[in-house]
Amino acid sequence: MSAILSTNPRLRPMRHEDLDEIMGVEVRAYPYPWTEGIFRDCMRVGYSCWVMTEADSLVGYGVMSVAVGECHVLNLCVRPECQGQGYGRTLLRALLEQAQGRNAQTVFLEVRPSNTPALHLYLSEGFNEVGLRKRYYPAERGREDALVLARALVE
């Protein structure tokens, strides 16, 4: 169970000026982080890129593509020292609200089976396993599969 947030986090579009701070979080949060170039490319091609702040401090961010009634969450990350406090759930819900506003009907994402906190979050938010991508993620000993999860955004 996540703790209740003490204040009201805000969502705003990601800016190029955010990338230094985002990269500082990314390299601490993931053993195989995205590069700054990947974030730049996502913004350049018009993906939906968001930053969550609280008291003017970056606590998380998310990147998703939205097209033809579908949303694909590509990256959802909370600053490591802020994890386990409800920020991930708040950020996920905010991203899904943005996707619904862009007429997405279904959302997809991949998650490492070994990332149990993220997996529990997604399952508790109504996602279901719909597939498996073999050897999708880099891992310490070769590659790790990805669980493909999906959730309807409209009833």
Side-chain angles (χ1 to χ4, degrees), residues 54-70:
E54 184 176 57
D56 295 326
S57 177
L58 183 139
V59 292
Y61 49 89
V63 177
M64 59 186 178
S65 65
V66 183
V68 235
E70 289 185 0

Side-chain angles (χ1 to χ4, degrees), residues 76-141:
L76 184 125
C77 185
V78 171
R79 184 182 292 276
E81 60 272 20
C82 296
Q83 292 176 4
Q85 300 177 44
Y87 292 108
R89 187 175 306 278
T90 300
L91 179 56
L92 177 63
R93 288 178 178 173
L95 292 177
L96 298 182
E97 188 176 304
Q98 292 293 324
Q100 269 186 303
R102 294 185 56 193
N103 300 314
Q105 298 168 4
T106 307
V107 59
F108 295 92
L109 58 83
E110 289 87 16
V111 62
R112 290 176 185 264
S114 63
N115 188 348
T116 53
L119 184 56
H120 288 302
L121 168 64
Y122 299 137
L123 295 175
S124 74
E125 287 294 317
F127 283 82
N128 295 293
E129 186 177 337
V130 296
L132 181 73
R133 296 191 197 281
K134 291 286 200 183
R135 302 176 43 78
Y136 185 77
Y137 290 111
E140 188 176 319
R141 298 194 176 162

